[in-house]
Each structure stands twice: as C-alpha cells, then as structure tokens.
Amino acid sequence: MGQAASTHHGSSPAGSSHTRNTSIDSYHLRSTYLESHLPEGVFVNQQQDYSSEIPDECLALIFQSLSSGDRKRCSLVCHRWLAVEGQSRHRLALNAATDVSVHLPSIFTRFDSVTKLALRCDRKSVSINDDALTLISLRCRNLTRLKLRGCREITDLGMFALAKNCRSLRKFSCGSCMFGAKGMNALLDNCSSLEELSVKRLRGINDGFAAEPIGPGAAAASLKSITLKELYNGQCFGPLIIGSKNLKTLKILRCLGDWDRLLETITVRKNCLTEIHLERLQVSDVGLMAISKCPDLEILHLVKAPDCSNEGISAIAENCKLLRKLHIDGWRTNRIGDEGLFAIAKNSMNLVELVLIGVNPSTVSLMAMASNCQKLERLALCGSETIGDQEISCIASKCMALKKLCIKGCRVTDSGIEAFAFGCPNLVKIKVKKCRGVTSEVADWLRARRVLLAVNLDADEIEHEVLDASTSDGGAQDEGVEFPPIVNGGNVVGVADIDAPSTSNGGRLQNKSRFSFFAGRTLVACAFRRLSNGNGSSNDSS
C-alpha cells in the first residue's frame, strides 16, 4: 500500500490509542521493504505516499475484504488508516464483563458506525449493567443486530433504554439473561422493524404462573422468525406468536408446558409459516394436526416428541404439499413408521431432504419413498433396527437424484455399501458411522471405483452410544448444513438431559407419563436427570 506497519503495539484495552510511532520514519520503513522486494534496476520514489491517493471510501472497501487480524494490523499504520478502519467497521463483538465499562466511551468513539453488536460474558464474570447498556444504546443508535449472552446484570431498566434508543433493531438474540417480561415487551413495543427474535434461558420470566404475557407489540407486524429455547414459561410468548401475522419461522426447543393448544390457536387463522422446529416438547398428534393447516409449510423438524405418531405425520404429508425438508427423530418409540412414511412417499413429491432417526422403516416403505420422491437429494438414516443391506441397496437403485447420504448406527455391511459403486449416479458424498458390518476395505474399494465420490467412514471408532438429533445446541439449522448434528445424549445441556426411551410399548407408556411432568412449571433440570437415570438404563443400545 506504500506504507509499512508501525512497530508500536501499545494500546488501551479500548483500542483507541492504536497510532503510529512517530519516532520511526515511515519512509525509512518503506525503503527497507522496497530494497528487499524490488528487482535490480527498478527505482521507486520513496518520498511519495501512494496510499494517500486512495479515497477513504475505497480504503474502507479494502479493509472490509480483510480478516479481522489484518484489519487490526492495518489500523496501526497511521492515523488516517486508524480512523478509516474504525469508521468502516460495522460488526463488533465485545467481552461484556464489567471491566469493559470504563472503556466503552473510547471504544465507540473509534467504532462509531457499528450496526451489528455482540455482547458476551462468561459465567465466572460479572457482566455489564444497565448503565453500560444505556451508554451503548446512546452511542449505537443505528444498531440493526444485537446479541446478549450471559449479561446477567442487565434488568428491565436497561432494556427500556435500549428499546427507546435503538428503534432500528431488526434482529435481537438473548441467552442466559435476567431481565423479564417488562423488558421484552419494551423491546417489542418500540422496535417496529424487528424481524428475528431468539430467546434462550431467559431467567427473568421464571416466576411460576404469574408470568406476564409477552407481546404482541409493534414488532408483531414485522416479525418473521421466533426461536424459543429452554424456557420454563415459554408459553408467555403465546400472544406474540399468535399476533405475528407475517411469521414464517417458528422454533420451540426444549420448553416446558403443553403446546398443542397454542399450535391450534396459531393455525386456526391464515398464516405464513414455512418452517417449524419442535424439539423435546409436550406435543401430540393434536399439535401436528394443527400444523397440517399450514399450506405453505416447507421445513419441519420433529425431534423427540414421544406422543406424536403416524396419524399426525400423515396429516402433515397429506395437507402440506410444499414440504421440502423433513427431519424426524422418533426416539425409538415405534410410533412413527411405515404408515407415516407411506403418506410422505405418496404426497411429498417436492421432498429434497429427509432425516430419519430412531425410526424403523421397512423395505416396502423405503422403496415407496425412493420411487416417488424423485427430487430427494439428501438422506440420513440413523439408529434404525430395520435398515440393512436390502434397504440400502433399494436406495442405491432407486434414488437417482441423491447427492448426499448419511448412514449411522444401522445394520449395514460391506455388501450394502458396494451397491453405491453403480447406484445413485449423482451421489457426491456418503458418510457411514458406527455401522459394525462396514469395514475400511469396502470404503477404499468404493473410492477406487468412484473417484469423485467422497467416502467418510469411521470403522475404527465404533462404540455404544445413544443417537441424538438435538439441534438447539448449535442454534438454528442453516441451509448449508448437510444433516443435523448427531451427538451423545449425555452431551445435551440443561433440561435436555433425558436418555432415549425404550422401544417397547411399556417404555412408551412410561415416557408419556414422564412427559406429563412438562406441564408443571416448577420442574428443574435435576429432576429430568433423576428421571433419566431411573428409566433410561435399558435404552443405551445402538
């Protein structure tokens, strides 16, 4: 760029004193660089600063194409680069411990154009308080995105100030915070452009049955996505969900209470819902029947809902003709099987992605699925006791559009995998995990015959574990993700520490009674663990 980086690295924690060391001549630095990099006979006017001819706007575009580390190093070159880099930085993440409060004025003096801000504080630290959040909201009135993580010292007062000063917010996300319904309502009443709302472990609304209803507020007209995770009183968001007439995405993950009635209320009127995620909820076929009244539904994730059966899945398949992505974790209850899969095969002609976990389909239902769902490109079969070589061979011969396949914890051997040497002509990636009958030899054999096929095999890492399709730990599923993460049940945190249920009918009845506790608002995470330890000891076979 015509200037060399300064060797001066001293700065305040706020980053406001990143300036060039004036005792070092920039011309001498540039001269040393040029002498070592230019060929002989080539001379450059060392008295001219070539970067001075670049307009600030162009310099800002250059900075925006650099990594965060390179941007920081560029800001040390000179006063001008420091100013342009700060003014062109729109995204900022800060450690929101209380110690940063004294540096906030200098931080936001330098970074005065921030529109996307993340404030995170770990569990062992005291977070910033209402005064700090008020200061931030005054300095960043153009904020469009804000994330609060672990900011336990922020109360309803701080949220009031934020809502009044940052009315342009379009995306708001909070996790492990302590403010309550009043603060959330203030945000919804003032931020009329809010499009995405994500709330996880909001402690301030855990006041039993006396929780104040949240919403709908002025934001109801603009909200397009609502995500609720691990809430004791998540149903206090019911007025907001019902009042958001333009809502497209609804994700309710590991929240207590009976959700059937709310789903019925949401879908009794015309709605725009295209994506619904339900994970570890007390929801039954009644709720699925309500969801089937969403004609625009394209994506459905149903994870560990033991009271849901073939009847509810069939209703969705018959009425939601636009369904493109379907994830079902049957939790080995055997309540979702051939009948539901036949309905999907018959009605879901637009299906592109299918994930079946803890579901036991037969060869007949898989063949119907493979024959009728001609657009299927991504398929995952995990933890099924009925999927073997015959079923896999059927997929290889019928799924002509399939591009990505994941098989985990199934009774598949080398013979089944060999079918992909000639089947599924569009297949580009295959993953085989924890299938005891599959060896590394067949993987090498398959790679040799299909050079362009990526084969991922963990033949040396077979071990007993419970399959889990929980998606909430990683947040919302992105479009680019191939399949949902499949992890050990023991790794799920918070109220999700429940092992997979038994496959017997008796086990299903126990699970139904166990999930009736979800209706109680005072149940704590340790109670889930005790129930898990008492009832899940026979469920760990993979």
Side-chain angles (χ1 to χ4, degrees):
M1 286 294 188
Q3 288 185 323
S6 169
T7 58
H8 176 68
H9 297 288
S11 64
S12 70
S16 59
S17 60
H18 289 310
T19 57
R20 184 176 64 179
N21 189 338
T22 54
S23 63
I24 300 178
D25 191 338
S26 62
Y27 295 130
H28 292 169
L29 292 174
R30 184 163 58 249
S31 175
T32 303
Y33 175 85
L34 293 174
E35 288 177 0
S36 61
H37 288 76
L38 291 178
E40 289 186 42
V42 177
F43 299 95
V44 176
N45 183 1
Q46 299 178 10
Q47 299 301 315
Q48 184 176 354
D49 180 3
Y50 295 99
S51 69
S52 63
E53 300 176 4
I54 303 176
D56 288 353
E57 294 79 6
C58 294
L59 192 60
L61 290 175
I62 294 172
F63 289 154
Q64 289 172 9
S65 66
L66 301 178
S67 66
S68 179
D70 288 339
R71 289 190 64 147
K72 292 177 182 178
R73 284 184 282 273
C74 286
S75 68
L76 299 175
V77 171
C78 62
H79 289 289
R80 179 187 173 226
W81 284 28
L82 175 72
V84 172
E85 195 277 330
Q87 293 167 1
S88 63
R89 187 183 287 268
H90 303 301
R91 186 190 301 268
L92 192 63
L94 293 179
N95 180 1
T98 187
D99 296 342
V100 79
S101 299
V102 296
H103 304 296
L104 290 176
S106 55
I107 289 176
F108 290 103
T109 296
R110 175 183 173 188
F111 302 110
D112 58 358
S113 301
V114 172
T115 58
K116 303 172 185 178
L117 179 63
L119 302 173
R120 299 184 177 92
C121 183
D122 60 57
R123 297 180 180 180
K124 297 181 180 180
S125 303
V126 178
S127 75
I128 59 174
N129 57 20
D130 292 338
D131 293 337
L133 185 62
T134 301
L135 173 62
I136 291 173
S137 67
L138 289 171
R139 293 297 190 101
C140 303
R141 291 182 178 272
N142 295 323
L143 272 185
T144 59
R145 299 184 185 182
L146 177 63
K147 289 184 180 181
L148 300 179
R149 293 290 184 271
C151 297
R152 294 171 292 277
E153 302 302 315
I154 293 176
T155 69
D156 291 335
L157 294 177
M159 292 300 297
F160 272 112
L162 172 70
K164 290 182 179 180
N165 296 326
C166 301
R167 296 176 182 267
S168 300
L169 274 178
R170 290 190 292 109
K171 296 183 180 181
F172 178 79
S173 172
C174 64
S176 299
C177 294
M178 298 299 294
F179 61 88
K182 288 182 175 21
M184 186 60 67
N185 278 323
L187 185 76
L188 296 171
D189 289 337
N190 290 276
C191 301
S192 58
S193 300
L194 195 66
E195 296 179 359
E196 296 184 18
L197 176 67
S198 178
V199 182
K200 181 178 181 180
R201 291 197 296 268
L202 186 59
R203 311 299 190 188
I205 63 172
N206 298 340
D207 298 328
F209 293 97
E212 177 183 341
I214 295 176
S222 60
L223 268 174
K224 296 179 181 178
S225 174
I226 296 177
T227 301
L228 306 178
K229 301 180 183 180
E230 299 176 21
L231 299 177
Y232 289 96
N233 282 325
Q235 290 182 334
C236 65
F237 284 87
L240 175 64
I241 299 174
I242 295 170
S244 300
K245 298 181 179 180
N246 296 312
L247 190 65
K248 293 183 177 296
T249 301
L250 176 62
K251 301 180 181 181
I252 308 174
L253 315 174
R254 302 187 306 213
C255 296
L256 299 186
D258 189 344
W259 291 88
D260 283 341
R261 183 176 300 179
L262 180 61
L263 290 174
E264 286 183 308
T265 307
I266 295 171
T267 57
V268 73
R269 57 169 174 77
K270 185 178 180 180
N271 62 81
C272 304
L273 285 169
T274 60
E275 181 174 0
I276 297 178
H277 293 222
L278 305 177
E279 178 183 320
R280 294 190 188 234
L281 298 182
Q282 185 181 348
V283 62
S284 68
D285 287 337
V286 175
L288 295 188
M289 295 286 187
I291 292 175
S292 70
K293 297 177 183 178
C294 301
D296 298 326
L297 188 67
E298 297 181 10
I299 302 172
L300 174 63
H301 287 207
L302 184 64
V303 177
K304 292 180 174 56
D307 289 332
C308 295
S309 70
N310 288 319
E311 185 178 359
I313 293 296
S314 298
I316 290 177
E318 291 168 2
N319 295 290
C320 303
K321 301 295 186 179
L322 300 180
L323 198 64
R324 295 187 302 107
K325 297 183 180 181
L326 178 62
H327 292 209
I328 300 176
D329 184 347
W331 214 6
R332 297 176 180 175
T333 61
N334 287 332
R335 300 204 68 197
I336 299 176
D338 279 349
E339 183 181 340
L341 296 181
F342 274 124
I344 295 170
K346 181 180 178 181
N347 298 281
S348 303
M349 302 303 176
N350 294 311
L351 201 64
V352 175
E353 179 174 302
L354 176 65
V355 175
L356 299 177
I357 300 174
V359 177
N360 295 320
S362 68
T363 304
V364 179
S365 61
L366 271 182
M367 182 172 293
M369 188 87 63
S371 300
N372 296 338
C373 300
Q374 293 294 318
K375 296 180 181 180
L376 192 63
E377 296 181 356
R378 297 180 292 278
L379 175 64
L381 303 170
C382 308
S384 175
E385 298 175 353
T386 59
I387 293 179
D389 291 340
Q390 184 178 356
E391 290 73 22
I392 294 300
S393 298
C394 170
I395 292 171
S397 62
K398 298 289 186 180
C399 296
M400 296 294 103
L402 196 64
K403 294 181 179 180
K404 297 180 181 179
L405 173 65
C406 177
I407 308 170
K408 183 171 183 178
C410 297
R411 298 176 179 178
V412 180
T413 68
D414 288 351
S415 177
I417 301 302
E418 288 174 357
F420 293 101
F422 306 101
C424 296
N426 293 306
L427 195 65
V428 296
K429 190 172 187 178
I430 180 172
K431 291 184 179 180
V432 183
K433 303 290 184 182
K434 296 177 175 55
C435 296
R436 298 177 181 277
V438 181
T439 65
S440 57
E441 286 76 11
V442 75
D444 295 335
W445 178 86
L446 186 58
R447 292 187 190 100
R449 277 153 183 77
R450 296 187 65 168
V451 180
L452 299 180
L453 179 61
V455 182
N456 190 327
L457 175 66
D458 68 341
D460 299 328
E461 300 176 3
I462 303 296
E463 62 183 16
H464 293 283
E465 73 170 25
V466 178
L467 295 172
D468 187 350
S470 175
T471 60
S472 65
D473 287 344
Q477 293 289 316
D478 295 330
E479 290 294 325
V481 177
E482 298 168 15
F483 302 112
I486 303 170
V487 296
N488 289 338
N491 291 337
V492 183
V493 297
V495 299
D497 281 332
I498 307 177
D499 291 335
S502 170
T503 57
S504 65
N505 292 332
R508 191 192 67 74
L509 294 176
Q510 290 178 0
N511 283 307
K512 186 172 182 179
S513 63
R514 175 167 48 168
F515 262 72
S516 66
F517 283 102
F518 274 64
R521 301 302 182 104
T522 60
L523 192 61
V524 294
C526 62
F528 281 91
R529 297 189 185 97
R530 287 198 298 270
L531 288 169
S532 174
N533 293 334
N535 296 330
S537 58
S538 64
N539 304 324
D540 293 337
S541 60
S542 56

